[in-house]
Short mmCIF file of all heavy atoms in Angstrom, two decimals:
data_model
loop_
_atom_site.label_atom_id
_atom_site.label_comp_id
_atom_site.label_asym_id
_atom_site.label_seq_id
_atom_site.Cartn_x
_atom_site.Cartn_y
_atom_site.Cartn_z
N MET A 1 18.98 -8.99 20.16
CA MET A 1 17.89 -8.21 20.76
C MET A 1 16.55 -8.72 20.27
O MET A 1 16.28 -8.74 19.07
CB MET A 1 18.08 -6.75 20.37
CG MET A 1 17.08 -5.84 21.09
SD MET A 1 17.78 -4.26 21.52
CE MET A 1 16.27 -3.45 22.04
N PRO A 2 15.71 -9.15 21.19
CA PRO A 2 14.42 -9.71 20.77
C PRO A 2 13.51 -8.65 20.18
O PRO A 2 13.57 -7.49 20.55
CB PRO A 2 13.83 -10.27 22.06
CG PRO A 2 14.49 -9.50 23.15
CD PRO A 2 15.86 -9.15 22.64
N VAL A 3 12.67 -9.08 19.28
CA VAL A 3 11.68 -8.18 18.69
C VAL A 3 10.58 -7.94 19.71
O VAL A 3 10.05 -8.87 20.29
CB VAL A 3 11.08 -8.80 17.41
CG1 VAL A 3 9.98 -7.90 16.85
CG2 VAL A 3 12.16 -9.03 16.38
N ARG A 4 10.30 -6.68 19.97
CA ARG A 4 9.23 -6.35 20.92
C ARG A 4 7.92 -6.16 20.18
O ARG A 4 7.85 -5.36 19.27
CB ARG A 4 9.57 -5.08 21.68
CG ARG A 4 10.68 -5.30 22.67
CD ARG A 4 10.89 -4.07 23.50
NE ARG A 4 11.93 -4.32 24.50
CZ ARG A 4 12.26 -3.47 25.45
NH1 ARG A 4 11.65 -2.30 25.52
NH2 ARG A 4 13.20 -3.76 26.32
N LYS A 5 6.92 -6.87 20.59
CA LYS A 5 5.60 -6.74 19.98
C LYS A 5 4.68 -6.03 20.95
O LYS A 5 4.66 -6.33 22.14
CB LYS A 5 5.03 -8.11 19.63
CG LYS A 5 5.88 -8.85 18.62
CD LYS A 5 5.23 -10.15 18.21
CE LYS A 5 6.10 -10.87 17.19
NZ LYS A 5 5.47 -12.12 16.72
N ARG A 6 3.95 -5.08 20.43
CA ARG A 6 2.99 -4.35 21.25
C ARG A 6 1.59 -4.69 20.77
O ARG A 6 1.35 -4.79 19.58
CB ARG A 6 3.22 -2.84 21.11
CG ARG A 6 4.60 -2.41 21.58
CD ARG A 6 4.81 -0.94 21.31
NE ARG A 6 4.75 -0.66 19.88
CZ ARG A 6 4.55 0.56 19.38
NH1 ARG A 6 4.40 1.59 20.17
NH2 ARG A 6 4.53 0.74 18.08
N PHE A 7 0.69 -4.85 21.70
CA PHE A 7 -0.69 -5.10 21.31
C PHE A 7 -1.43 -3.77 21.15
O PHE A 7 -1.16 -2.82 21.87
CB PHE A 7 -1.40 -5.99 22.32
CG PHE A 7 -1.03 -7.43 22.14
CD1 PHE A 7 0.00 -7.99 22.88
CD2 PHE A 7 -1.67 -8.21 21.19
CE1 PHE A 7 0.37 -9.31 22.69
CE2 PHE A 7 -1.32 -9.53 21.00
CZ PHE A 7 -0.29 -10.08 21.75
N ILE A 8 -2.33 -3.72 20.22
CA ILE A 8 -3.05 -2.49 19.91
C ILE A 8 -4.44 -2.58 20.53
O ILE A 8 -5.24 -3.44 20.18
CB ILE A 8 -3.15 -2.30 18.38
CG1 ILE A 8 -1.76 -2.37 17.75
CG2 ILE A 8 -3.82 -0.97 18.07
CD1 ILE A 8 -1.79 -2.44 16.23
N ALA A 9 -4.70 -1.67 21.49
CA ALA A 9 -5.97 -1.71 22.23
C ALA A 9 -7.15 -1.43 21.32
O ALA A 9 -7.14 -0.48 20.54
CB ALA A 9 -5.95 -0.69 23.35
N GLY A 10 -8.15 -2.28 21.41
CA GLY A 10 -9.39 -2.04 20.71
C GLY A 10 -9.36 -2.35 19.22
O GLY A 10 -10.37 -2.21 18.55
N ALA A 11 -8.21 -2.77 18.71
CA ALA A 11 -8.12 -3.06 17.28
C ALA A 11 -8.83 -4.37 16.97
O ALA A 11 -8.78 -5.31 17.75
CB ALA A 11 -6.67 -3.13 16.85
N VAL A 12 -9.47 -4.40 15.82
CA VAL A 12 -10.18 -5.60 15.40
C VAL A 12 -9.51 -6.15 14.15
O VAL A 12 -9.25 -5.41 13.20
CB VAL A 12 -11.66 -5.30 15.12
CG1 VAL A 12 -12.38 -6.52 14.58
CG2 VAL A 12 -12.35 -4.80 16.39
N CYS A 13 -9.22 -7.44 14.15
CA CYS A 13 -8.59 -8.06 12.99
C CYS A 13 -9.55 -8.03 11.80
O CYS A 13 -10.69 -8.47 11.92
CB CYS A 13 -8.21 -9.50 13.33
SG CYS A 13 -7.62 -10.41 11.90
N PRO A 14 -9.09 -7.52 10.67
CA PRO A 14 -9.97 -7.46 9.49
C PRO A 14 -10.25 -8.85 8.90
O PRO A 14 -11.19 -9.02 8.13
CB PRO A 14 -9.18 -6.59 8.51
CG PRO A 14 -7.75 -6.72 8.92
CD PRO A 14 -7.77 -6.94 10.42
N ALA A 15 -9.44 -9.82 9.27
CA ALA A 15 -9.63 -11.15 8.70
C ALA A 15 -10.55 -12.03 9.54
O ALA A 15 -11.46 -12.65 9.02
CB ALA A 15 -8.28 -11.84 8.53
N CYS A 16 -10.33 -12.07 10.88
CA CYS A 16 -11.13 -12.97 11.71
C CYS A 16 -12.01 -12.23 12.70
O CYS A 16 -12.74 -12.86 13.46
CB CYS A 16 -10.22 -13.96 12.45
SG CYS A 16 -9.27 -13.23 13.80
N GLN A 17 -11.94 -10.87 12.71
CA GLN A 17 -12.79 -10.02 13.56
C GLN A 17 -12.49 -10.17 15.05
O GLN A 17 -13.26 -9.71 15.89
CB GLN A 17 -14.29 -10.29 13.34
CG GLN A 17 -14.70 -10.41 11.87
CD GLN A 17 -14.38 -9.18 11.05
OE1 GLN A 17 -14.57 -8.08 11.51
NE2 GLN A 17 -13.83 -9.37 9.87
N ALA A 18 -11.38 -10.78 15.43
CA ALA A 18 -11.02 -10.88 16.84
C ALA A 18 -10.59 -9.51 17.36
O ALA A 18 -9.93 -8.75 16.65
CB ALA A 18 -9.89 -11.89 17.03
N ARG A 19 -10.96 -9.20 18.61
CA ARG A 19 -10.63 -7.91 19.19
C ARG A 19 -9.38 -8.04 20.07
O ARG A 19 -9.16 -9.07 20.70
CB ARG A 19 -11.82 -7.41 20.03
CG ARG A 19 -11.61 -6.05 20.62
CD ARG A 19 -12.90 -5.50 21.23
NE ARG A 19 -13.82 -5.03 20.20
CZ ARG A 19 -13.80 -3.77 19.72
NH1 ARG A 19 -12.93 -2.91 20.14
NH2 ARG A 19 -14.65 -3.41 18.79
N ASP A 20 -8.56 -6.98 20.11
CA ASP A 20 -7.34 -6.95 20.93
C ASP A 20 -6.38 -8.10 20.58
O ASP A 20 -5.67 -8.60 21.44
CB ASP A 20 -7.66 -7.00 22.43
CG ASP A 20 -8.41 -5.77 22.89
OD1 ASP A 20 -8.28 -4.71 22.25
OD2 ASP A 20 -9.13 -5.87 23.89
N SER A 21 -6.38 -8.50 19.33
CA SER A 21 -5.52 -9.62 18.96
C SER A 21 -4.39 -9.17 18.04
O SER A 21 -3.57 -9.97 17.61
CB SER A 21 -6.34 -10.70 18.24
OG SER A 21 -6.80 -10.20 17.00
N LEU A 22 -4.32 -7.85 17.75
CA LEU A 22 -3.32 -7.38 16.80
C LEU A 22 -2.04 -6.94 17.50
O LEU A 22 -2.06 -6.07 18.36
CB LEU A 22 -3.88 -6.22 15.97
CG LEU A 22 -5.06 -6.57 15.05
CD1 LEU A 22 -5.47 -5.35 14.26
CD2 LEU A 22 -4.71 -7.71 14.11
N ALA A 23 -0.92 -7.56 17.14
CA ALA A 23 0.39 -7.20 17.67
C ALA A 23 1.13 -6.36 16.63
O ALA A 23 1.03 -6.62 15.43
CB ALA A 23 1.19 -8.45 18.00
N LEU A 24 1.86 -5.36 17.11
CA LEU A 24 2.56 -4.45 16.22
C LEU A 24 4.05 -4.46 16.54
O LEU A 24 4.42 -4.41 17.70
CB LEU A 24 2.00 -3.03 16.43
CG LEU A 24 2.79 -1.85 15.86
CD1 LEU A 24 2.73 -1.83 14.35
CD2 LEU A 24 2.28 -0.54 16.43
N TRP A 25 4.88 -4.59 15.53
CA TRP A 25 6.31 -4.47 15.75
C TRP A 25 6.99 -3.98 14.50
O TRP A 25 6.37 -3.87 13.45
CB TRP A 25 6.92 -5.79 16.22
CG TRP A 25 7.03 -6.86 15.19
CD1 TRP A 25 8.14 -7.16 14.46
CD2 TRP A 25 6.02 -7.78 14.76
NE1 TRP A 25 7.86 -8.21 13.61
CE2 TRP A 25 6.58 -8.60 13.77
CE3 TRP A 25 4.67 -7.96 15.14
CZ2 TRP A 25 5.85 -9.60 13.15
CZ3 TRP A 25 3.95 -8.96 14.50
CH2 TRP A 25 4.54 -9.77 13.53
N ARG A 26 8.29 -3.66 14.62
CA ARG A 26 9.02 -3.08 13.51
C ARG A 26 10.13 -4.03 13.07
O ARG A 26 10.85 -4.56 13.90
CB ARG A 26 9.62 -1.73 13.95
CG ARG A 26 10.41 -1.03 12.88
CD ARG A 26 10.62 0.43 13.23
NE ARG A 26 9.47 1.22 12.83
CZ ARG A 26 9.47 1.99 11.72
NH1 ARG A 26 10.54 2.10 10.97
NH2 ARG A 26 8.40 2.67 11.39
N GLU A 27 10.21 -4.27 11.79
CA GLU A 27 11.19 -5.20 11.26
C GLU A 27 11.75 -4.61 9.98
O GLU A 27 10.99 -4.27 9.07
CB GLU A 27 10.47 -6.53 10.96
CG GLU A 27 11.37 -7.72 10.80
CD GLU A 27 10.53 -8.98 10.62
OE1 GLU A 27 9.97 -9.48 11.61
OE2 GLU A 27 10.39 -9.44 9.48
N ASN A 28 13.07 -4.43 9.93
CA ASN A 28 13.70 -3.82 8.76
C ASN A 28 13.04 -2.49 8.38
O ASN A 28 12.79 -2.21 7.21
CB ASN A 28 13.65 -4.77 7.55
CG ASN A 28 14.38 -6.06 7.85
OD1 ASN A 28 15.43 -6.05 8.49
ND2 ASN A 28 13.85 -7.17 7.41
N ASN A 29 12.76 -1.67 9.42
CA ASN A 29 12.15 -0.35 9.23
C ASN A 29 10.76 -0.39 8.63
O ASN A 29 10.30 0.59 8.06
CB ASN A 29 13.06 0.54 8.37
CG ASN A 29 14.33 0.89 9.11
OD1 ASN A 29 14.30 1.17 10.31
ND2 ASN A 29 15.45 0.85 8.42
N VAL A 30 10.11 -1.53 8.73
CA VAL A 30 8.73 -1.64 8.27
C VAL A 30 7.86 -2.03 9.47
O VAL A 30 8.20 -2.95 10.20
CB VAL A 30 8.58 -2.72 7.18
CG1 VAL A 30 7.13 -2.89 6.77
CG2 VAL A 30 9.44 -2.35 5.97
N ASP A 31 6.80 -1.28 9.71
CA ASP A 31 5.88 -1.64 10.78
C ASP A 31 5.03 -2.82 10.34
O ASP A 31 4.42 -2.79 9.27
CB ASP A 31 4.96 -0.45 11.12
CG ASP A 31 5.70 0.63 11.89
OD1 ASP A 31 6.64 0.28 12.63
OD2 ASP A 31 5.35 1.80 11.75
N ILE A 32 4.98 -3.82 11.17
CA ILE A 32 4.21 -5.02 10.84
C ILE A 32 3.14 -5.23 11.90
O ILE A 32 3.42 -5.12 13.09
CB ILE A 32 5.13 -6.26 10.78
CG1 ILE A 32 6.20 -6.04 9.71
CG2 ILE A 32 4.33 -7.53 10.50
CD1 ILE A 32 7.24 -7.12 9.67
N VAL A 33 1.94 -5.51 11.46
CA VAL A 33 0.84 -5.81 12.38
C VAL A 33 0.40 -7.23 12.09
O VAL A 33 0.14 -7.59 10.94
CB VAL A 33 -0.34 -4.84 12.16
CG1 VAL A 33 -1.50 -5.20 13.08
CG2 VAL A 33 0.10 -3.40 12.41
N GLU A 34 0.34 -8.05 13.13
CA GLU A 34 -0.11 -9.43 12.91
C GLU A 34 -1.18 -9.80 13.93
O GLU A 34 -1.07 -9.46 15.11
CB GLU A 34 1.06 -10.40 13.04
CG GLU A 34 0.65 -11.83 12.69
CD GLU A 34 1.78 -12.82 12.86
OE1 GLU A 34 2.03 -13.22 14.01
OE2 GLU A 34 2.42 -13.18 11.88
N CYS A 35 -2.18 -10.51 13.46
CA CYS A 35 -3.20 -11.04 14.35
C CYS A 35 -2.66 -12.32 14.98
O CYS A 35 -2.22 -13.23 14.27
CB CYS A 35 -4.47 -11.35 13.56
SG CYS A 35 -5.73 -12.17 14.55
N VAL A 36 -2.65 -12.37 16.32
CA VAL A 36 -2.10 -13.55 17.00
C VAL A 36 -3.06 -14.73 16.93
O VAL A 36 -2.69 -15.85 17.27
CB VAL A 36 -1.74 -13.24 18.47
CG1 VAL A 36 -0.65 -12.18 18.54
CG2 VAL A 36 -2.95 -12.81 19.27
N LYS A 37 -4.29 -14.48 16.52
CA LYS A 37 -5.27 -15.58 16.46
C LYS A 37 -5.23 -16.28 15.11
O LYS A 37 -5.16 -17.50 15.06
CB LYS A 37 -6.66 -15.05 16.74
CG LYS A 37 -6.72 -14.41 18.12
CD LYS A 37 -7.97 -14.78 18.87
CE LYS A 37 -7.80 -14.39 20.33
NZ LYS A 37 -9.00 -13.81 20.91
N CYS A 38 -5.29 -15.51 14.04
CA CYS A 38 -5.36 -16.15 12.72
C CYS A 38 -4.09 -15.91 11.91
O CYS A 38 -3.96 -16.41 10.80
CB CYS A 38 -6.57 -15.65 11.94
SG CYS A 38 -6.41 -13.96 11.34
N HIS A 39 -3.15 -15.13 12.47
CA HIS A 39 -1.86 -14.85 11.83
C HIS A 39 -1.99 -14.06 10.53
O HIS A 39 -1.09 -14.07 9.70
CB HIS A 39 -1.05 -16.14 11.60
CG HIS A 39 -0.79 -16.86 12.89
ND1 HIS A 39 0.07 -16.38 13.85
CD2 HIS A 39 -1.33 -18.00 13.39
CE1 HIS A 39 0.06 -17.22 14.89
NE2 HIS A 39 -0.78 -18.20 14.64
N HIS A 40 -3.09 -13.36 10.38
CA HIS A 40 -3.22 -12.41 9.27
C HIS A 40 -2.20 -11.30 9.49
O HIS A 40 -2.06 -10.79 10.59
CB HIS A 40 -4.64 -11.84 9.27
CG HIS A 40 -4.86 -10.80 8.21
ND1 HIS A 40 -4.94 -11.11 6.88
CD2 HIS A 40 -5.00 -9.45 8.31
CE1 HIS A 40 -5.13 -9.97 6.20
NE2 HIS A 40 -5.17 -8.96 7.04
N GLN A 41 -1.45 -10.96 8.47
CA GLN A 41 -0.38 -9.98 8.62
C GLN A 41 -0.56 -8.80 7.69
O GLN A 41 -0.94 -8.95 6.54
CB GLN A 41 0.96 -10.66 8.33
CG GLN A 41 2.09 -10.08 9.16
CD GLN A 41 3.40 -10.81 8.92
OE1 GLN A 41 4.06 -10.60 7.92
NE2 GLN A 41 3.76 -11.69 9.85
N MET A 42 -0.26 -7.59 8.23
CA MET A 42 -0.33 -6.37 7.43
C MET A 42 0.97 -5.62 7.62
O MET A 42 1.53 -5.59 8.71
CB MET A 42 -1.49 -5.49 7.91
CG MET A 42 -2.85 -6.11 7.70
SD MET A 42 -4.11 -5.24 8.67
CE MET A 42 -3.75 -5.80 10.32
N ARG A 43 1.47 -5.01 6.56
CA ARG A 43 2.69 -4.22 6.66
C ARG A 43 2.41 -2.76 6.41
O ARG A 43 1.38 -2.42 5.86
CB ARG A 43 3.73 -4.74 5.66
CG ARG A 43 4.27 -6.07 6.10
CD ARG A 43 5.05 -6.79 5.04
NE ARG A 43 5.42 -8.11 5.55
CZ ARG A 43 6.60 -8.39 6.09
NH1 ARG A 43 7.53 -7.47 6.15
NH2 ARG A 43 6.85 -9.58 6.57
N GLU A 44 3.36 -1.93 6.84
CA GLU A 44 3.19 -0.49 6.72
C GLU A 44 2.92 -0.09 5.29
O GLU A 44 2.21 0.88 5.02
CB GLU A 44 4.46 0.21 7.23
CG GLU A 44 4.34 1.70 7.31
CD GLU A 44 5.65 2.30 7.79
OE1 GLU A 44 6.70 1.80 7.40
OE2 GLU A 44 5.59 3.26 8.56
N ALA A 45 3.48 -0.83 4.37
CA ALA A 45 3.33 -0.51 2.96
C ALA A 45 1.88 -0.68 2.49
O ALA A 45 1.46 -0.05 1.53
CB ALA A 45 4.24 -1.40 2.13
N ASP A 46 1.14 -1.53 3.21
CA ASP A 46 -0.25 -1.75 2.83
C ASP A 46 -1.12 -0.61 3.31
O ASP A 46 -1.05 -0.22 4.46
CB ASP A 46 -0.78 -3.05 3.45
CG ASP A 46 0.00 -4.25 2.97
OD1 ASP A 46 0.58 -4.16 1.89
OD2 ASP A 46 0.04 -5.25 3.69
N LYS A 47 -1.96 -0.09 2.46
CA LYS A 47 -2.85 0.99 2.86
C LYS A 47 -3.77 0.54 3.98
O LYS A 47 -4.11 1.29 4.88
CB LYS A 47 -3.69 1.46 1.67
CG LYS A 47 -2.85 2.29 0.71
CD LYS A 47 -3.66 2.77 -0.48
CE LYS A 47 -2.76 3.57 -1.41
NZ LYS A 47 -3.41 3.91 -2.66
N GLN A 48 -4.16 -0.70 3.95
CA GLN A 48 -5.04 -1.27 4.97
C GLN A 48 -4.40 -1.17 6.36
O GLN A 48 -5.03 -0.76 7.31
CB GLN A 48 -5.28 -2.73 4.61
CG GLN A 48 -6.37 -3.40 5.43
CD GLN A 48 -6.49 -4.87 5.08
OE1 GLN A 48 -5.56 -5.49 4.54
NE2 GLN A 48 -7.62 -5.45 5.35
N ALA A 49 -3.12 -1.51 6.45
CA ALA A 49 -2.42 -1.48 7.73
C ALA A 49 -2.27 -0.04 8.23
O ALA A 49 -2.46 0.24 9.40
CB ALA A 49 -1.05 -2.12 7.59
N GLN A 50 -1.94 0.88 7.34
CA GLN A 50 -1.78 2.28 7.74
C GLN A 50 -3.02 2.79 8.43
O GLN A 50 -2.97 3.32 9.52
CB GLN A 50 -1.50 3.15 6.51
CG GLN A 50 -0.05 3.14 6.10
CD GLN A 50 0.22 4.17 5.01
OE1 GLN A 50 -0.70 4.74 4.44
NE2 GLN A 50 1.48 4.40 4.73
N GLY A 51 -4.15 2.64 7.78
CA GLY A 51 -5.39 3.12 8.35
C GLY A 51 -5.66 2.49 9.70
O GLY A 51 -6.01 3.17 10.64
N HIS A 52 -5.41 1.22 9.79
CA HIS A 52 -5.67 0.49 11.01
C HIS A 52 -4.82 0.99 12.17
O HIS A 52 -5.31 1.23 13.26
CB HIS A 52 -5.39 -0.99 10.77
CG HIS A 52 -6.47 -1.85 11.31
ND1 HIS A 52 -7.58 -2.19 10.59
CD2 HIS A 52 -6.63 -2.42 12.51
CE1 HIS A 52 -8.37 -2.93 11.34
NE2 HIS A 52 -7.82 -3.09 12.50
N VAL A 53 -3.51 1.13 11.93
CA VAL A 53 -2.61 1.50 13.02
C VAL A 53 -2.82 2.95 13.43
O VAL A 53 -2.81 3.27 14.61
CB VAL A 53 -1.15 1.27 12.60
CG1 VAL A 53 -0.20 1.79 13.67
CG2 VAL A 53 -0.91 -0.21 12.36
N ARG A 54 -3.02 3.84 12.48
CA ARG A 54 -3.23 5.25 12.82
C ARG A 54 -4.47 5.44 13.68
O ARG A 54 -4.50 6.23 14.59
CB ARG A 54 -3.35 6.10 11.55
CG ARG A 54 -2.13 6.09 10.67
CD ARG A 54 -0.91 6.72 11.35
NE ARG A 54 0.27 6.60 10.49
CZ ARG A 54 1.22 5.69 10.67
NH1 ARG A 54 1.17 4.86 11.68
NH2 ARG A 54 2.23 5.62 9.84
N GLU A 55 -5.50 4.67 13.39
CA GLU A 55 -6.73 4.76 14.16
C GLU A 55 -6.55 4.25 15.58
O GLU A 55 -7.17 4.74 16.50
CB GLU A 55 -7.80 3.86 13.52
CG GLU A 55 -8.65 4.54 12.49
CD GLU A 55 -9.60 3.53 11.84
OE1 GLU A 55 -10.02 2.59 12.52
OE2 GLU A 55 -9.86 3.68 10.64
N GLN A 56 -5.71 3.25 15.73
CA GLN A 56 -5.63 2.54 17.01
C GLN A 56 -4.26 2.72 17.62
O GLN A 56 -3.52 1.76 17.78
CB GLN A 56 -5.88 1.04 16.78
CG GLN A 56 -6.96 0.73 15.79
CD GLN A 56 -8.34 0.81 16.42
OE1 GLN A 56 -8.46 1.05 17.61
NE2 GLN A 56 -9.36 0.63 15.62
N GLU A 57 -3.91 3.95 17.98
CA GLU A 57 -2.54 4.17 18.43
C GLU A 57 -2.31 3.81 19.89
O GLU A 57 -1.19 3.66 20.31
CB GLU A 57 -2.12 5.62 18.16
CG GLU A 57 -1.91 5.82 16.67
CD GLU A 57 -1.01 6.99 16.37
OE1 GLU A 57 -0.83 7.84 17.25
OE2 GLU A 57 -0.48 7.03 15.26
N GLN A 58 -3.36 3.69 20.64
CA GLN A 58 -3.17 3.35 22.05
C GLN A 58 -2.68 1.91 22.17
O GLN A 58 -3.26 0.98 21.63
CB GLN A 58 -4.49 3.52 22.80
CG GLN A 58 -4.31 3.35 24.29
CD GLN A 58 -5.63 3.23 25.01
OE1 GLN A 58 -6.69 3.27 24.39
NE2 GLN A 58 -5.57 3.06 26.30
N VAL A 59 -1.61 1.74 22.91
CA VAL A 59 -1.01 0.42 23.04
C VAL A 59 -1.25 -0.09 24.46
O VAL A 59 -1.12 0.65 25.42
CB VAL A 59 0.49 0.53 22.73
CG1 VAL A 59 1.22 -0.73 23.16
CG2 VAL A 59 0.69 0.78 21.24
N ILE A 60 -1.62 -1.35 24.58
CA ILE A 60 -2.00 -1.86 25.90
C ILE A 60 -0.93 -2.72 26.56
O ILE A 60 -1.09 -3.12 27.69
CB ILE A 60 -3.32 -2.65 25.82
CG1 ILE A 60 -3.21 -3.81 24.84
CG2 ILE A 60 -4.46 -1.73 25.46
CD1 ILE A 60 -4.45 -4.69 24.82
N GLY A 61 0.16 -3.01 25.90
CA GLY A 61 1.18 -3.81 26.58
C GLY A 61 2.34 -4.15 25.68
O GLY A 61 2.29 -3.94 24.48
N ILE A 62 3.38 -4.68 26.30
CA ILE A 62 4.56 -5.10 25.56
C ILE A 62 4.63 -6.62 25.65
O ILE A 62 4.47 -7.18 26.74
CB ILE A 62 5.86 -4.50 26.16
CG1 ILE A 62 5.75 -2.99 26.25
CG2 ILE A 62 7.06 -4.95 25.36
CD1 ILE A 62 6.21 -2.24 25.06
N PHE A 63 4.87 -7.25 24.55
CA PHE A 63 4.90 -8.71 24.52
C PHE A 63 6.32 -9.18 24.21
O PHE A 63 6.91 -8.74 23.23
CB PHE A 63 3.93 -9.18 23.43
CG PHE A 63 3.97 -10.65 23.14
CD1 PHE A 63 3.55 -11.58 24.09
CD2 PHE A 63 4.43 -11.10 21.91
CE1 PHE A 63 3.58 -12.92 23.81
CE2 PHE A 63 4.46 -12.46 21.63
CZ PHE A 63 4.04 -13.37 22.59
N HIS A 64 6.86 -10.02 25.05
CA HIS A 64 8.21 -10.55 24.82
C HIS A 64 8.10 -12.01 24.40
O HIS A 64 7.73 -12.85 25.21
CB HIS A 64 9.05 -10.45 26.12
CG HIS A 64 9.24 -9.05 26.59
ND1 HIS A 64 10.21 -8.23 26.09
CD2 HIS A 64 8.56 -8.34 27.51
CE1 HIS A 64 10.13 -7.07 26.69
NE2 HIS A 64 9.14 -7.09 27.55
N PRO A 65 8.40 -12.30 23.16
CA PRO A 65 8.18 -13.66 22.62
C PRO A 65 9.03 -14.73 23.29
O PRO A 65 8.71 -15.89 23.23
CB PRO A 65 8.51 -13.55 21.14
CG PRO A 65 9.22 -12.25 20.97
CD PRO A 65 8.88 -11.37 22.15
N ASP A 66 10.13 -14.37 23.94
CA ASP A 66 10.98 -15.40 24.55
C ASP A 66 10.64 -15.53 26.02
O ASP A 66 11.35 -16.06 26.79
CB ASP A 66 12.46 -15.07 24.33
CG ASP A 66 12.79 -13.69 24.84
OD1 ASP A 66 11.95 -12.80 24.72
OD2 ASP A 66 13.89 -13.49 25.33
ZN1 ZN B 1 -7.27 -12.45 12.85
#
């Protein structure tokens, strides 16, 4: 079963400041957010990621990597 990545509407990458570039998915029961532009990655365990995802809950699409 492929991992489904969702893009987070309006989210801004804290590393490269790109908008609408953050993809969110779940891996081993951990929510992972990755910037598709600079590949900066945040996990649910990180306080930074928590704040980011809670703020930006609206999702704009489903991304199928295959
Ligand atoms: Zn980035």
